[in-house]
Amino acid sequence: MAKQCCERCGKETEHKEWIRQKPSKYGASRKEKLKAFLDGFFSGWGGGGAAAIDLVDRYVICQECGRKKLQNYGDPFQ
Ligand SMILES: [Zn+2]
């Protein structure tokens, strides 16, 4: 979790990251989906995984009000 400014709360709140996989080149089976998710997840966090990042939508969710914000750019948190 990381502190971010929430527009609804109007202040810095704890945000939890949530990653949703986009439809991708990977197969539709459960196992393939898991693999695709892990690929994207780890290369995303490791940096330099630009191609894999394209496979997921990254959101942050405000822990105070539950507002969900799409955040598909840059490094997750610094
Ligand atoms: Zn909020």
Side-chain angles (χ1 to χ4, degrees), residues 6 13 16 30-31 41 43 46 55 57 61 64 66-68 70 73 78:
C6 172
T13 60
K16 190 163 75 177
R30 209 170 183 180
K31 197 172 156 191
F41 186 78
S43 50
L55 298 175
D57 280 329
I61 301 170
E64 301 261 334
R67 185 175 189 275
K68 203 160 57 180
L70 184 62
Y73 50 87
Q78 298 184 359

Side-chain angles (χ1 to χ4, degrees), residues 6-11 13 15 62-67:
C6 172
E7 287 162 30
R8 187 184 286 170
C9 296
K11 61 177 181 178
T13 60
H15 281 67
C62 174
Q63 297 299 285
E64 301 261 334
C65 69
R67 185 175 189 275

